[in-house]
Amino acid sequence: MTTPRVFLVRHGETEWSLSGKHTGVTDIPLTANGEKRVKATGRALVGDDRLIVPKQLAHIYVSPRKRAQRTFELLNLGISDPLPWKDWGEKLPDLPHNCDARVEVTEDIREWDYGDYEGITSPEIREIRAKQGLPPKWDIWTDGCVGGENPEDVMERLDRLVNEIRQKWHAPITGKPKSEYTPPGDVLIVAHGHILRAFAMRWVGKKFSEGPAFLLEAGGVGTLSYEHHNVEEPAILLGGAFVVSP
């Protein structure tokens, strides 16, 4: 039976992710080490006998930020069509992957808009809030960001994307018998730390305030899917096996 998946890939390391600064609209590049680690992730997890099988991808969503787009480039999926942006760095040698999925840049998966908290760390945010007479114990999942997005704003755009993935890419094939004629159904999303963690919560119908707390390291990969081959039973896949041909 066919049970498609969604792969969540956080962009690689940047100078701000290293220092803990909140990076929403600011467009900064990956560090050299960040690029190196993403390349290693691609070699380890992308391929016909790997976790992410390029020919099984039906669609790819990428954030408008160049750090996410460069991360996608470095995964080296072997995309057939030109990318919808100019290359952000040295092009990698083509690998014998076969991926016909379309790459779409969407604002729905851009990072949380941090507003007044852009470019500063959590301790600095708490200090600022105390001086403003606001509760110093700040929690983005319940408080949102002054001058930026609140949780309801973020939920609205993520729910729109979740529904699109379910109805357009997953519902037509979920639970159907597998065969050589089954169209690809996996979806790849390349974006950012807070927004991908928020996406995972909305995938399983949880409000941000309900938790649990998820972590996604820079350059890390997460997986979502369904229980019992049923699109009405979304689940977080804690451990996904590599694909091996019979």
Side-chain angles (χ1 to χ4, degrees), residues 29-32 35-36 38-39 66 69-77 83 85-94:
L30 304 184
T31 63
E35 292 213 357
K36 182 179 178 181
V38 173
K39 289 177 184 177
K66 67 182 179 183
Q69 295 174 3
R70 181 56 178 162
T71 296
F72 175 78
E73 293 172 8
L74 294 170
L75 291 174
N76 207 11
L77 288 164
L83 296 177
W85 62 78
K86 67 175 185 178
D87 290 343
W88 290 113
E90 181 182 356
K91 186 175 174 59
L92 300 183
D94 290 329

Side-chain angles (χ1 to χ4, degrees), residues 7-9 19 44 63 68 101-102 118 124 134 136 142 152 157 160 165 175 182 190 192 194 197 224:
F7 298 108
L8 308 179
V9 180
S19 61
S63 160
R102 177 173 166 255
E118 180 80 9
E124 291 171 329
L134 296 171
T142 55
E152 291 72 28
R157 60 181 169 100
R160 182 166 57 237
I165 290 171
T182 303
V190 185
H192 313 270
H194 269 123
R197 290 153 63 192
L224 309 174

Side-chain angles (χ1 to χ4, degrees), residues 215-234:
L215 296 177
L216 186 59
E217 294 181 337
V221 179
T223 311
L224 309 174
S225 190
Y226 305 94
E227 279 197 281
H228 307 123
H229 314 291
N230 186 348
V231 76
E232 301 300 327
E233 298 183 60

Side-chain angles (χ1 to χ4, degrees), residues 109-172:
I109 204 64
R110 61 178 166 79
E111 181 58 296
W112 199 303
D113 184 346
Y114 298 121
D116 295 353
Y117 302 154
E118 180 80 9
I120 58 178
T121 65
S122 293
E124 291 171 329
I125 291 170
R126 289 192 286 269
E127 288 179 11
I128 290 171
R129 289 175 64 86
K131 292 177 181 177
Q132 294 173 336
L134 296 171
K137 188 179 179 181
W138 173 67
D139 183 354
I140 192 171
W141 305 112
T142 55
D143 301 327
C145 298
V146 175
E149 286 182 301
N150 61 42
E152 291 72 28
D153 297 328
V154 174
M155 277 194 271
E156 181 179 357
R157 60 181 169 100
L158 290 181
D159 286 352
R160 182 166 57 237
L161 185 57
V162 167
N163 290 333
E164 177 176 315
I165 290 171
R166 292 229 175 101
Q167 299 307 315
K168 191 171 184 179
W169 307 112
H170 286 175

Side-chain angles (χ1 to χ4, degrees), residues 171-186:
I173 65 168
T174 301
K176 303 294 192 300
K178 283 185 179 180
S179 77
E180 60 182 306
Y181 305 108
T182 303
D186 289 344

